[in-house]
């Protein structure tokens, strides 16, 4: 007798997804209610589906409740963002826009939804603009989204002068600022970059209640002071007396490099021109064969 032949036959996946979409935030037959956001908006869902699709929800819904039908409170997430997460869990697809994409990415990381994180990252990369570049880079650094971080940094490198004028630049974390200042590809001159970092440090000082020097301490080493001309260094020293953002030792090291170049034509391997660095007379000491604005 011939053994039975089993074959998995697939039906219409679009129709299946469309049917499940009708269950999103549908109170009929729902067995769990969330109170979402500051306004505690009611959002209805189904325990079995959430538990099967997301380990974080499985753990949340498995917790014993004093009252079995008591709503679960999620005050830290916007209703629109939570509904986008539910859309993904119910239909394996998500509708995103620039207003919620970063927050949906945050929730996807919180709930361990790697595929949703990927979808968010792809959307952010495809719609990235100057105003959102730093916020997206910050999220990529915070959530270790390496591919998104690389993409955002490349965008920042190509639009540096516009990006440093955005509100998002002023809100960068210390870690994200350090990562940006490591780049040789920034399309901005060092004088303008130092000014932008000083503004960032002053904002951080006001918000955190710390000194400007303390806020900027970990990022100042990423500034390339020796790229400045002697007259620019003198002006920088005068500006620095107001807030002490740059340690005296760092300024002294820049002057020392200038003296070495002048006296023996030496160069420092620690000082690299960025893509947007404007030429100064002493730059030929950095690389005698240098032409244009390349980096060492």
């Amino acid at each position: 007798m011939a053994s039975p032949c089993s074959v998995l036959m697939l039906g219409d996946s679009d129709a299946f997804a469309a049917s499940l979409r009708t269950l999103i935030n549908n109170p009929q037959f729902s067995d769990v209610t969330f109170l979402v956001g500051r306004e505690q908006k009611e959002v209805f869902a189904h325990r079995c589906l959430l538990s099967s699709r997301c380990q974080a929800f499985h753990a949340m819904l498995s917790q014993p409740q004093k009252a079995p039908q008591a709503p679960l409170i999620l005050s830290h997430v916007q209703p629109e963002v939570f509904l986008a997460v539910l859309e993904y869990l119910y239909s394996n697809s998500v509708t995103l826009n620039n207003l919620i994409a970063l927050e949906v990415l945050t929730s996807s990381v919180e709930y361990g939804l790697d595929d949703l994180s990927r979808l968010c990252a792809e959307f952010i990369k495809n719609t990235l603009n100057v105003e959102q570049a730093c916020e997206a880079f910050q999220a990529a650094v915070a959530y270790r989204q390496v591919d998104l971080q690389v993409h955002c940094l490349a965008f920042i490198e190509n639009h540096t002068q516009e990006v440093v004028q955005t509100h998002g630049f002023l809100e960068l974390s210390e870690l994200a600022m350090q990562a940006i200042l490591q780049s040789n590809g920034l399309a901005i001159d060092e004088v303008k970059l130092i000014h932008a970092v000083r503004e960032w440090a002053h904002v951080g000082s006001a918000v955190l209640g710390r000194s400007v020097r303390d806020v900027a301490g970990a990022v100042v080493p990423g500034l390339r002071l020796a790229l400045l001309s002697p007259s620019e260094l003198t002006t920088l020293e005068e500006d620095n007396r107001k807030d002490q953002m740059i340690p005296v030792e760092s300024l002294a090291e820049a002057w020392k490099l200038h003296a070495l170049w002048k006296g023996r034509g030496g160069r420092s391997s620690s000082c690299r021109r960025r893509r947007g660095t404007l030429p100064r007379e002493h730059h030929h000491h950095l690389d005698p064969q240098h032409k244009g604005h390349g980096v060492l």
Side-chain angles (χ1 to χ4, degrees):
M1 180 177 179
S3 59
C5 179
S6 299
V7 178
L8 177 65
M9 305 297 291
L10 299 178
D12 189 337
S13 58
D14 290 338
F16 178 72
S19 296
L20 285 180
R21 279 179 179 276
T22 65
L23 300 178
I24 299 173
N25 198 21
N26 188 338
Q28 188 177 26
F29 305 126
S30 70
D31 55 4
V32 61
T33 302
F34 294 91
L35 298 180
V36 184
R38 294 179 181 177
E39 62 272 42
Q40 295 200 339
K41 179 178 179 180
E42 277 191 323
V43 175
F44 304 97
H46 305 81
R47 291 174 181 271
C48 61
L49 194 146
L50 298 189
S51 296
S52 64
R53 289 279 285 155
C54 176
Q55 184 59 40
F57 278 115
H58 178 81
M60 185 189 305
L61 296 171
S62 298
Q63 295 294 322
Q65 300 286 324
K66 292 182 179 179
Q69 300 304 318
L72 299 175
I73 299 175
L74 299 176
S75 57
H76 66 288
V77 60
Q78 293 187 53
E80 297 82 0
V81 172
F82 187 65
L83 286 171
V85 173
L86 289 188
E87 179 187 6
Y88 169 77
L89 293 177
Y90 277 76
S91 68
N92 211 40
S93 59
V94 62
T95 304
L96 297 172
N97 60 57
N98 285 327
L99 297 177
I100 67 169
L102 284 171
E103 292 187 63
V104 177
L105 174 61
T106 299
S107 292
S108 69
V109 172
E110 177 184 351
Y111 296 133
L113 300 171
D114 294 340
D115 190 48
L116 179 57
S117 297
R118 179 187 61 80
L119 295 175
C120 291
E122 286 300 315
F123 175 86
I124 293 167
K125 288 192 293 183
N126 292 334
T127 60
L128 197 62
N129 57 53
V130 167
E131 289 299 321
Q132 293 184 318
C134 286
E135 190 177 358
F137 183 73
Q138 177 68 64
V141 171
Y143 303 128
R144 300 179 182 179
Q145 301 286 314
V146 177
D147 187 55
L148 179 59
Q149 182 176 335
V150 170
H151 184 90
C152 290
L153 181 57
F155 184 95
I156 291 170
E157 289 173 337
N158 290 330
H159 303 86
T160 315
Q161 296 200 57
E162 297 91 341
V163 166
V164 299
Q165 299 177 52
T166 64
H167 190 70
F169 182 82
L170 298 178
E171 294 185 334
L172 284 170
S173 69
E174 179 183 286
L175 186 61
M177 183 64 77
Q178 286 177 305
I180 289 175
L181 294 182
Q182 289 173 3
S183 171
N184 298 322
L186 300 178
I188 190 172
D189 186 59
E190 206 68 18
V191 170
K192 291 184 177 180
L193 185 59
I194 292 169
H195 176 77
V197 171
R198 171 165 272 123
E199 188 174 359
W200 168 83
H202 276 266
V203 170
S205 174
V207 172
L208 300 173
R210 296 158 52 192
S211 69
V212 170
R213 179 170 179 170
D214 186 33
V215 170
V219 306
V220 163
L223 298 174
R224 303 175 185 185
L225 306 183
L227 293 176
L228 276 58
S229 68
S231 63
E232 290 168 333
L233 271 175
T234 299
T235 300
L236 180 61
E237 284 185 314
E238 293 172 356
D239 293 339
N240 200 57
R241 292 191 184 99
K242 303 172 186 176
D243 56 23
Q244 301 295 309
M245 182 183 85
I246 301 173
V248 174
E249 297 79 8
S250 297
L251 290 165
E253 179 64 22
W255 281 116
K256 178 182 176 181
L257 290 172
H258 274 274
L260 289 173
W261 294 325
K262 185 177 180 180
R264 299 194 297 272
R267 64 173 185 165
S268 171
S269 60
S270 64
C271 183
R272 294 174 180 265
R273 283 168 292 252
R274 304 184 198 273
R275 180 153 59 102
T277 301
L278 297 177
R280 274 89 166 169
E281 183 179 353
H282 71 285
H283 285 180
H284 71 277
H285 294 301
L286 300 177
D287 184 355
Q289 306 301 320
H290 172 72
K291 296 180 180 180
H293 302 300
V295 295
L296 287 172

